Amino acid sequence: MRRRFTKVFLGLLLTSLFIFSLAQAEENSIYESLPDQILIYQGNLVYATDIIPHLPGKTRVLLPKSAIAESIEILDHEKIKESQLSSSSGRYLLTWERKGKSEVRLNYLLTGISWHPLYSLDILSAKQGRIRYQAVIDNKITPLEAMVTLIFGKAQRDLRSFKVPFLKEKKLKESRVYSSSLSPFYLYNLGKKDLKEERNCFAILEEDIELKKGFLWSANEKEAKVVYTLENSTREPFASGIIELYQDGLYLGMNRIEEVPIGEKVKVIVSAAGNIRVKRTADTTDTPEHELIRIAETKKPTKRIVGHGITIAPQAPIKVVRRTHKYSHRVELHIKNLAKEDFLEIDVFEKARANCLDVEFFLNPTRIDGTNFIWKIFLKPGESRTIGYTYYSGSIFTGEREKTYSFPPFSQLKPKR
């Protein structure tokens, strides 16, 4: 009888110890946080959310190695204002006082995951191409399976100062995952993705687009370039990135494009134009005195207080100031179409020298953009064309001027008659 009682007692004791040890293990367990949803910025920054359905009362949460401590937000029935952080092997252990047994949501920033766009354009003809837009995600943390959203723009670590190139067609809808402060930003929602700890590529779109072939010559270069103008007629804006070019199965090279909103156009330089010969010449010569003067002006009368009244004192006119130019310049731009059948349209860009004066063109530019003279030239097969301009420089001042007088810009000078 005693033996049976002893066996029963020992069995109950062992069972109690086992249950107690399980309870202790649960109370002191460590939960490793892996994000369920990530918002990846251009740059090395991620806004991560980990949704934890069940978490024991005394559990410590091990955060990813690149988590930013000051960004941690705990939603445990309510927003937790007090928590404790300790370090373990370069990673943070997070603890707080549980407010119940409800679902826990952790939000935090981390580094180590970034993305950038990559484009490939297959030139099918002079008027049509096929573009493929991919997102390249570099994951240097750990393998993840999460809902992935890419944001077109860069953010500071406090999520209060953002830099986004544009927003045109699409806005972030209300979501319980992301902060409302993100609402003005354009997002690419990729859905649930398996991110390996390496480079990952995901297709955003692949569509046919219209192209327009043209030619461009920047006169400070020794050769003209083949340029394709493409319009973003797709459903997504293009972020700035690298575009790779192909034609008839051949790799032509790569270039960079800037941001392209939906419906906007962008020029992509493909290669050198072998069927166009270009040459720039510039000659400088001494020239007889070439004068421009500023016409004398009368200063506005000044008011002076004399006794209890105000008197107006007239001022003398500004003295004539003369600017003399000693050098004459002649710039010639030579273009020839070497093709035997193609009718070519070429845009010519010439950057004007600062402070050039009395510019005269052989052929007026199509437009002037800042200090750039831009011509649109049409050439028949075998046709040559020379365009250019003359100007003066090398100025000196002669004559007297008022001490308080500042010499006006060239646009206010008038040629001497």
Side-chain angles (χ1 to χ4, degrees):
M1 190 71 177
R2 172 180 283 182
R3 289 181 179 178
R4 180 179 297 178
F5 175 78
T6 303
K7 289 181 179 180
V8 172
F9 177 76
L10 289 174
L12 290 174
L13 180 62
L14 290 174
T15 302
S16 300
L17 289 172
F18 178 71
I19 294 174
F20 179 76
S21 63
L22 285 179
Q24 286 292 103
E26 182 175 317
E27 289 290 309
N28 295 288
S29 61
I30 295 178
Y31 171 84
E32 183 175 8
S33 176
L34 290 176
D36 297 302
Q37 302 174 10
I38 55 176
L39 177 66
I40 309 175
Y41 292 88
Q42 286 180 295
N44 190 26
L45 188 66
V46 175
Y47 183 59
T49 297
D50 187 6
I51 303 172
I52 311 170
H54 173 70
L55 198 62
K58 295 293 184 180
T59 300
R60 293 173 294 172
V61 177
L62 183 64
L63 299 176
K65 60 183 179 181
S66 60
I68 300 171
E70 60 268 23
S71 69
I72 299 170
E73 181 184 56
I74 307 168
L75 301 176
D76 185 1
H77 185 67
E78 62 183 28
K79 188 173 181 178
I80 303 300
K81 298 181 180 179
E82 296 183 0
S83 60
Q84 296 77 43
L85 276 179
S86 59
S87 182
S88 175
S89 301
R91 300 175 67 178
Y92 289 116
L93 278 172
L94 175 65
T95 57
W96 69 94
E97 184 179 348
R98 292 294 313 275
K99 298 298 183 180
K101 296 184 178 180
S102 61
E103 175 184 275
V104 175
R105 184 182 299 271
L106 298 179
N107 298 323
Y108 48 84
L109 294 174
L110 54 84
T111 59
I113 303 179
S114 61
W115 83 278
H116 64 271
L118 179 63
Y119 305 89
S120 61
L121 176 63
D122 189 8
I123 301 171
L124 305 178
S125 68
K127 296 184 178 180
Q128 188 178 30
R130 186 164 185 82
I131 192 167
R132 187 182 186 193
Y133 181 7
Q134 296 183 91
V136 180
I137 302 177
D138 290 313
N139 178 15
K140 299 179 181 179
I141 302 177
T142 187
L144 291 175
E145 186 177 358
M147 297 294 293
V148 178
T149 303
L150 309 178
I151 187 167
F152 183 7
K154 295 182 180 180
Q156 301 296 330
R157 285 187 172 183
D158 58 5
L159 287 181
R160 289 178 296 185
S161 176
F162 295 88
K163 178 184 177 183
V164 171
F166 64 83
L167 171 70
K168 188 154 184 177
E169 294 290 334
K170 189 175 180 182
K171 293 184 178 181
L172 173 63
K173 297 179 180 179
E174 291 184 4
S175 171
R176 63 193 183 102
V177 177
Y178 305 119
S179 165
S180 61
S181 64
L182 300 180
S183 59
F185 293 88
Y186 192 93
L187 302 179
Y188 300 106
N189 296 303
L190 301 186
K192 194 169 187 177
K193 297 296 181 183
D194 185 14
L195 296 182
K196 306 296 184 183
E197 192 176 355
E198 55 188 21
R199 176 160 291 189
N200 304 265
C201 294
F202 301 103
I204 293 179
L205 60 85
E206 186 172 359
E207 296 183 23
D208 289 339
I209 59 173
E210 292 184 359
L211 300 177
K212 181 181 178 182
K213 185 178 180 180
F215 300 89
L216 178 149
W217 177 37
S218 179
N220 62 340
E221 298 182 352
K222 295 183 178 180
E223 57 188 8
K225 302 293 178 62
V226 179
V227 177
Y228 279 90
T229 301
L230 61 91
E231 180 179 350
N232 183 4
S233 57
T234 71
R235 63 186 182 275
E236 303 283 6
F238 297 160
S240 58
I242 299 297
I243 184 167
E244 296 179 336
L245 304 161
Y246 299 85
Q247 187 172 21
D248 299 329
L250 297 177
Y251 176 64
L252 302 179
M254 64 172 60
N255 211 320
R256 173 171 289 276
I257 62 171
E258 298 303 320
E259 301 87 5
V260 189
I262 297 173
E264 298 294 323
K265 296 180 180 180
V266 64
K267 292 182 182 293
V268 181
I269 296 177
V270 179
S271 62
N275 56 349
I276 300 177
R277 179 179 296 166
V278 293
K279 184 179 180 181
R280 180 185 188 275
T281 61
D283 295 322
T284 300
T285 58
D286 290 336
T287 184
E289 186 176 275
H290 177 80
E291 292 185 340
L292 271 83
I293 62 173
R294 187 176 191 277
I295 297 176
E297 296 178 356
T298 303
K299 283 187 176 180
K300 292 182 180 180
T302 58
K303 296 180 181 181
R304 294 186 300 169
I305 299 177
V306 179
H308 297 285
I310 298 177
T311 62
I312 298 177
Q315 296 291 309
I318 297 175
K319 295 181 181 179
V320 173
V321 179
R322 181 175 291 120
R323 177 169 279 203
T324 304
H325 297 267
K326 288 194 170 184
Y327 301 103
S328 173
H329 304 268
R330 182 182 179 88
V331 177
E332 294 184 354
L333 308 176
H334 308 274
I335 310 105
K336 183 176 182 179
N337 180 7
L338 300 178
K340 296 182 179 180
E341 299 178 357
D342 296 335
F343 183 88
L344 301 184
E345 174 185 328
I346 178 170
D347 291 324
V348 180
F349 290 76
E350 164 72 354
K351 189 171 183 62
R353 173 178 167 172
N355 296 333
C356 59
L357 183 67
D358 271 9
V359 179
E360 292 186 4
F361 297 99
F362 307 164
L363 173 68
N364 287 333
T366 307
R367 71 181 191 274
I368 298 177
D369 182 8
T371 59
N372 287 318
F373 304 143
I374 304 171
W375 293 268
K376 186 176 288 293
I377 305 299
F378 299 91
L379 296 177
K380 299 177 182 178
E383 183 181 6
S384 298
R385 181 76 60 85
T386 298
I387 59 177
Y389 57 99
T390 61
Y391 67 95
Y392 294 91
S393 70
S395 63
I396 59 173
F397 290 113
T398 63
E400 298 180 0
R401 46 184 161 169
E402 299 286 339
K403 292 182 179 179
T404 57
Y405 175 74
S406 59
F407 196 78
F410 287 136
S411 59
Q412 298 180 17
L413 297 176
K414 297 181 180 180
K416 182 179 180 180
R417 297 183 182 278

